[in-house]
Amino acid sequence: MGNEDRYRAAEKAYRREKFVMPKELTYLAGNSLGPAVASVADRLVRTSNDQWGQHLAGAWKKNGWLSAPEEIGDRISLLLGADQGTTLVCDSTSINLFKLLNAALAVDPQRKVILTDQGNFSTDLYIAKSVGLIHQDVTVCIVPRSALIESLDPSVAVLMLSHVDYRSGQAHDMASFNEKARSVGALTLWDVSHSVGIMALDFNASGVDMAVGCGYKYLNGGPGAPAFVYVKSDLQNTLSNPIQGWLGHAEPFVFSENYMPASGIKRLQVGTPTTFSLAALAEGVDLLLEAGIQLVEHDSRELFDAFMAGLEPIVRKGHVHFLHDVQRSNVSGHIGFKVNDAEALHHRLMAENIVTEYRYPDLLRIAFNPLYTTVDEIEQTAAKLKHLLGQH
Amino acid sequence: MGNEDRYRAAEKAYRREKFVMPKELTYLAGNSLGPAVASVADRLVRTSNDQWGQHLAGAWKKNGWLSAPEEIGDRISLLLGADQGTTLVCDSTSINLFKLLNAALAVDPQRKVILTDQGNFSTDLYIAKSVGLIHQDVTVCIVPRSALIESLDPSVAVLMLSHVDYRSGQAHDMASFNEKARSVGALTLWDVSHSVGIMALDFNASGVDMAVGCGYKYLNGGPGAPAFVYVKSDLQNTLSNPIQGWLGHAEPFVFSENYMPASGIKRLQVGTPTTFSLAALAEGVDLLLEAGIQLVEHDSRELFDAFMAGLEPIVRKGHVHFLHDVQRSNVSGHIGFKVNDAEALHHRLMAENIVTEYRYPDLLRIAFNPLYTTVDEIEQTAAKLKHLLGQH
């Protein structure tokens, strides 16, 4: 079968009717904020009027609001290729990173280095530096990615990396970093914000120790959706939450004088779950589970192929510069590229109902989400790019 | 005019039609979770379908989602008797306490003591101890409330107190603690979770340095509503957020390598605002502003008076034991008392559609919220209590 048939056959994850979005919109900006899941509005009305309205304080137990962080976490763990009981939804990605970095440093007080790479997401670097400011004896070692392996030595407490580079879209090899870190006794902490929900992760196989991720990108959990933390089972009870709040306590309702951590992943919770935001996130996660993450990854790659095929003439003519050597093994759910007059191009595409992401000064970013993007849309986008760059 | 007329005249804050709750319910448990605000459901649907659904990533700017933490904060500051630009809605009460305690300790590195009282809310104590664990040279000094004044000396960096005791309902004199703390150069940090929205606070007059508070009690912001932080204007730029996330950055969208704190209260933000939960909170806060916090406090005190009058016979007979010497000057929006068979009594009242709060082992807690509670309901509750305790 030809390319076109192959693409069409691949569109099995497509669930556009499950989203509220303007019909004419091609939305390729899903790694900033995934589109609105249609079932969220009803779910929020039920949560507000039927649950909160009818049961008031009794609603916490009656509607499982208190266990939602673990229950939604268990569903997310299916996207991570991780065991049940390893993932908890809480707080923001930044606060979760802060908790896990502090916790990782406390595991072996002899290890005083947080190792990360210069290309990491800026807020991840800020958080690492925050932890370095609090612990005067801790060094935050920020090196080029190419120097990470040689920098891994027994002084390293934790290697903190983003799985996918937020600019380029380059996916990094989790398994090899994990293996090398393990060989020197360092823990790994991955930020999977730009891969969870669009790539079929396999934490168990690749040996991830800890991770955080964001709820509002490919999980389609809504604006400011709560984030999640992952800790592999046999590490959980070794970790102490540096922010000891009542819901990480073993018996939160006893209001005892001393803090006693809950066992398992629950100890990483701090305050009361934000119910509305959790309810919205649950709908986004369920939609992904319904489609199947293997299929989502597969179809995302088909969208990527269609884009690359369409773009090929202007790549060849040097109008588009990828930020890395794009190979099948480092493809993720998005690609970033440099182009002349990127901002103007972004606005021209917007005027044609094609939403991409522009990053100062010359970067365009395109996400390939088969839940709501078709091969046709991708081909039209590539054609439009060619046209706008004068490449007929 | 007689007592009854006086009470009836006082019911000006009453806005029961603004809440979704069972008609027959007397809800006196508002300091765990305020009831559902009727306008929330529509607001959430608009936020989901019209804002998120139609504008997707563009909705952040178009709908003021990014500035919501400051805007709702400004509205809450009206309930605090504080200036505009002093209050930010973010994270949970626990995480906000953690941020402010760390920030307070960094102001003057010579001061190494966090001072608080034994009766403080348990999670506040856990958080203080967390901060003590991170900073090995910091002492968390937890003393009986009666020993606080004598413990205030120049070693104290921060005096952390709850304004209202969550068990007894006793309101503490903010101004005198603030004055004494100021006299030794210590900062004050108040948790107003059990007073904001039911008492007319006056941070400016009483000289509060820093505060945190909860959104889901008297602010009726919904389950797990975001919390808030307050820092008085001239202290803000002296404080460093110990958790440096991108939205506390002066220029969050530049993604620069180094963290540069935003000026003002904004620097205490960390991650992305949880839009749905913020939208719900905004409705609860607006309802209070519409009623007027002075009137809410006034009418809450009338409900309290009616309750005390109705309870007087069983208090006299020793069936009810208040946890403190109840005087006009220390009344808050709720009262806690010990009673025999408290748990059974709580369930008997529940069976009569009267919701109180029970705390192990023998405590009942009653909130007086004139937004949805009438004098009749309070009188019937007192009568029912008398009856159940065999006091006809």
Side-chain angles (χ1 to χ4, degrees), chain B residues 204-215:
Chain B
N204 282 339
S206 58
V208 171
D209 291 321
M210 300 176 289
V212 298
C214 158

Side-chain angles (χ1 to χ4, degrees), chain A residues 20-22 25 27 29 32-38 40-42 44-45 47-50 52-60 65 91-92 94-95 98-99 102 118 121-123 125-127 129-131 133-135 142 166 216 220-226 241-247 249 251-260 270-278 280 355 357 359-360, chain B residues 20-22 25 27 29 32-38 40-42 44-45 47-50 52-60 65 91-92 94-95 98-99 102 118 121-123 125-127 129-131 133-135 142 166 216 220-226 241-247 249 251-260 270-278 280 355 357 359-360:
Chain A
V20 179
M21 52 198 291
L25 204 70
Y27 190 65
S32 272
L33 178 67
V37 176
V40 164
D42 277 354
L44 291 173
V45 170
T47 305
S48 188
N49 288 347
D50 303 344
W52 183 21
Q54 295 308 307
H55 303 301
L56 301 103
W60 284 105
W65 288 351
D91 300 319
S92 61
S94 300
I95 285 174
F98 181 87
K99 290 187 290 191
N102 276 284
Q118 283 169 355
F121 195 59
S122 50
T123 200
L125 297 178
Y126 304 155
I127 293 290
K129 290 179 188 173
S130 301
V131 175
L133 286 173
I134 286 179
H135 302 280
I142 304 175
Y166 72 104
Y216 54 87
N220 303 310
N241 188 342
I243 310 181
Q244 301 179 344
W246 74 304
L247 280 181
H249 195 286
E251 300 190 83
F253 298 102
V254 170
F255 296 99
S256 65
E257 196 181 323
N258 291 312
Y259 185 82
M260 196 170 72
V270 183
T272 313
T274 52
T275 301
F276 289 122
S277 292
L278 280 158
V355 183
E357 283 168 315
R359 285 285 176 272
Y360 178 86
Chain B
V20 180
M21 52 197 291
L25 204 70
Y27 189 65
S32 273
L33 177 66
V37 177
V40 163
D42 277 354
L44 291 173
V45 171
T47 304
S48 189
N49 288 347
D50 302 345
W52 183 21
Q54 294 308 307
H55 304 301
L56 301 104
W60 285 106
W65 288 351
D91 301 318
S92 62
S94 300
I95 284 174
F98 181 88
K99 290 187 289 189
N102 276 284
Q118 282 168 357
F121 195 59
S122 50
T123 199
L125 297 179
Y126 303 155
I127 293 291
K129 289 178 188 173
S130 301
V131 175
L133 287 173
I134 287 179
H135 302 281
I142 305 176
Y166 74 104
Y216 55 86
N220 303 309
N241 188 343
I243 311 179
Q244 302 180 345
W246 73 305
L247 280 180
H249 195 286
E251 300 188 82
F253 298 101
V254 170
F255 297 99
S256 65
E257 196 182 321
N258 291 312
Y259 185 81
M260 195 170 72
V270 182
T272 312
T274 52
T275 301
F276 289 123
S277 292
L278 280 158
V355 183
E357 283 168 315
R359 284 286 174 274
Y360 178 86

Side-chain angles (χ1 to χ4, degrees), chain B residues 188-226:
Chain B
T188 51
L189 169 50
W190 290 91
D191 183 344
V192 296
S193 292
H194 288 94
S195 53
V196 64
I198 194 81
M199 296 177 75
L201 302 174
D202 195 343
F203 279 11
N204 282 339
S206 58
V208 171
D209 291 321
M210 300 176 289
V212 298
C214 158
Y216 55 86
K217 299 180 194 286
Y218 301 116
L219 298 186
N220 303 309

